[in-house]
Amino acid sequence: MLRTDPQGHGPVRFGPPLPDDGLPVLPELSAVLSAAAARGGHEPVGGGPALRGAACGYWDRRGLHCDPGRVAAAPGAPTLLLALTAALGGDVLVPRPCAAWWAPYARLLGRPAFHVPTPPESGGVPDPYALLETVRRVRAEGGDPRLLVLSVADDPTAGVAPPELLHETVEAARSEGLHLVSDETWRDTLHDPHGTVLLSPAEMLPDRVTVVSDLAGALLPPGWPAAVARFPAGEGGEGLKARVLDVLTALDARVAAPVASAAAYALSEPGPVTERVAASVRLHARLAAAAHSAVVAAGALARPPRAGRHLYVDLAPLRDALSTRGVGDAQELEDFLTDRLGMPAPGGHRFGDDLQAPRVRLCTGPLLTGSDAERAECLTTPTPLELPHVQRALIQLKSVFDDLRDDAQRWEPPR
């Protein structure tokens, strides 16, 4: 984004965080953190044996064999991506749109970040032909593309890429010698886990894919920063991990010891953790479906969300109604909806989309208002959308979009 002002329009410092789940911390997780609170230190750079071993078990259960020597941990996925970008060198390719925190880390290192279009159904995986064209164009202009960042379960679109499209994109990346970073932060938040096929690029190209997962996606509260990376096997992966550890050391990027204990517990997936994750996913799937129905009924465009705690909305059909309210671009739309909804509504420009396109990411976490007890009740009741505090939030969302629809209908020319 080119313009900034003192009111918080900056593209980096005011960028949106990961979508929160809006729920109280799991008591068993709090107990683990409390028990380790007397440990005032931090983990070694890259994480200690217990944390790395728990990460290996987590990936083994998902069909990605791993050993602790191929794992590194850091305080959040952004730190890992920064270290990977620095270690790999060259230019960076990202989908359009993509997670808000991907491109700034390339720019921070003085590396160009080139956006590649994505098919509507694929979310965070770029079109393979557009990828090939972009790589060749960048090289023809003197660039050096080396890294492609993608996500099969995507923020911001809440889409899940079909395996056949993912395979074509991975093959295109392999043919151009790119290294892939697969952000799998949202892989455990599929709304229909039995009806959705999710494959990791690491299953298709094991020697050139580094998997990164921020535990705030499904396992930890966002205020307890921890993320893990799984490097490829072989000398190439060993060398990359060594360079990443050098960068993490220079940044002094270590996971706090109590957070590491909680992370290792969560990654081991005991009963309380798996039950909470499943309940949270069911709840947010219902909230996302209700929000999707509300915005589509008002005339906006949005693909049905299939993962995560968010949906991506295109208000182009309501552009005339927005213009009467002084909304002409994504930043103005962000300001307008954030004010009217009383919840963050970051514009599509935060995610690499065109500033002129009226798109926003809406999150479901802010719909869970009320006390800790009221929000916890959402996990146990069979009808969470009928709880008064949730119902009020959904009515407010529907009302804002219905007002825009009504304005749009008033401005339609007579037939």
Side-chain angles (χ1 to χ4, degrees), residues 179 202 205-209 232-233 236-237:
H179 189 91
L205 193 63
D207 60 335
R208 298 192 69 86
V209 177

Side-chain angles (χ1 to χ4, degrees), residues 12 29 32 69 73 93 123 147 172 192 209 235 242 244 250 274-275 296 306 309 356 363 381-382 402 411 414:
V12 176
L29 204 55
V32 172
L93 301 163
L147 170 61
D192 181 13
V209 177
E235 291 185 8
V244 165
T274 56
E275 291 165 12
V296 170
R306 301 177 64 201
R309 303 187 283 263
Q356 302 306 315
C363 299
T381 178
D402 283 352
W411 283 90

Side-chain angles (χ1 to χ4, degrees), residues 19 42 108 134 142 168 175 207 296 322:
H42 44 63
L108 183 65
T134 303
E168 292 176 6
S175 70
D207 60 335
V296 170
L322 290 168

Side-chain angles (χ1 to χ4, degrees), residues 64-398:
L64 294 175
H65 175 69
C66 193
D67 63 74
R70 293 167 54 197
V71 175
T79 308
L80 284 172
L81 184 57
L82 174 66
L84 280 161
T85 306
L88 286 163
D91 302 337
V92 180
L93 301 163
V94 295
R96 183 190 300 275
C98 69
W101 52 274
W102 288 359
Y105 287 90
R107 292 195 296 266
L108 183 65
L109 295 167
R111 310 276 171 74
F114 297 95
H115 287 270
V116 185
T118 59
E121 73 278 7
S122 79
V125 176
D127 178 86
Y129 300 102
L131 175 63
L132 290 171
E133 180 183 347
T134 303
V135 169
R136 290 163 187 169
R137 173 177 57 82
V138 170
R139 286 182 177 149
E141 295 173 355
D144 182 21
R146 297 187 195 177
L147 170 61
L148 169 64
V149 188
L150 49 72
S151 58
V152 181
D154 186 47
D155 171 22
T157 67
V160 178
E164 57 274 14
L165 176 71
L166 176 65
H167 185 267
E168 292 176 6
T169 301
V170 168
E171 281 299 304
R174 181 197 60 77
S175 70
E176 297 298 334
L178 302 177
H179 189 91
L180 279 69
V181 169
S182 176
D183 177 7
E184 300 185 7
T185 294
W186 301 103
R187 72 166 296 155
D188 296 325
T189 65
L190 300 183
H191 295 178
D192 181 13
H194 300 295
T196 305
V197 178
L198 185 150
L199 294 178
S200 170
E203 299 176 64
M204 303 176 180
L205 193 63
D207 60 335
R208 298 192 69 86
V209 177
T210 299
V211 177
V212 171
S213 180
D214 196 306
L215 304 192
L219 297 175
L220 288 183
W224 301 3
V228 286
R230 174 191 180 273
F231 293 87
E235 291 185 8
E238 291 174 2
L240 176 59
K241 182 189 173 185
R243 297 194 299 277
V244 165
L245 290 179
D246 286 343
V247 178
L248 294 177
T249 301
L251 297 172
D252 196 26
R254 307 165 190 260
V255 181
V259 173
S261 295
Y265 173 78
L267 284 165
S268 67
E269 298 183 292
V273 169
T274 56
E275 291 165 12
R276 164 58 78 87
V277 169
S280 175
V281 170
R282 286 194 300 269
L283 170 61
H284 284 282
R286 291 179 176 179
L287 290 167
H292 177 263
S293 295
V295 301
V296 170
L301 303 174
R303 293 189 66 82
R306 301 177 64 201
R309 303 187 283 263
H310 50 280
L311 64 157
Y312 201 55
V313 184
D314 186 344
L315 284 83
L318 303 174
R319 191 186 291 274
D320 289 343
L322 290 168
S323 65
T324 65
R325 298 173 182 244
V327 175
D329 62 24
Q331 179 60 67
E332 292 168 349
L333 180 61
E334 174 184 308
D335 296 339
F336 173 79
L337 286 180
T338 297
D339 178 61
R340 298 301 173 92
L341 295 173
M343 57 185 268
H349 60 300
R350 306 285 188 186
F351 309 100
D353 248 338
D354 183 0
L355 177 62
Q356 302 306 315
R359 297 176 186 141
V360 293
R361 184 191 71 185
L362 300 179
C363 299
T364 52
L367 299 173
L368 299 176
T369 59
S371 66
D372 282 357
E374 287 175 322
R375 289 180 290 128
E377 185 183 5
C378 297
L379 292 167
T380 56
T381 178
T383 54
L385 304 191
E386 296 178 11
L387 294 173
H389 51 286
V390 177
Q391 207 169 47
R392 284 192 297 270
L394 287 171
I395 289 172
Q396 171 68 9
L397 175 71
K398 186 175 186 300

